[in-house]
Amino acid sequence: MPATERDETQPRRPLYGVSMRDLLAAGAAAEAVSTPPRAPEPVAPEGVRERKAA
């Protein structure tokens, strides 16, 4: 077997100890924590109808 071929049955180890999956998960978690919640949609008082634009 030539030296350039690899045994692809073994999963690749991360280059610097952190996998891309872990990096993406950490980024998503950081965004979820740092993003403020959305303001609730305004609700019209009961008995008031919305006008449709003509």
Side-chain angles (χ1 to χ4, degrees):
M1 175 163 76
T4 57
E5 290 185 23
R6 287 193 197 188
D7 181 13
E8 293 294 332
T9 59
Q10 296 291 328
R12 291 185 183 184
R13 291 178 46 198
L15 194 56
Y16 296 105
V18 180
S19 68
M20 181 59 75
R21 182 178 184 173
D22 290 341
L23 287 173
L24 291 172
E31 183 177 354
V33 170
S34 64
T35 305
R38 288 185 174 182
E41 293 287 328
V43 179
E46 209 168 305
V48 177
R49 293 185 182 175
E50 291 184 23
R51 291 186 173 181
K52 293 185 179 180

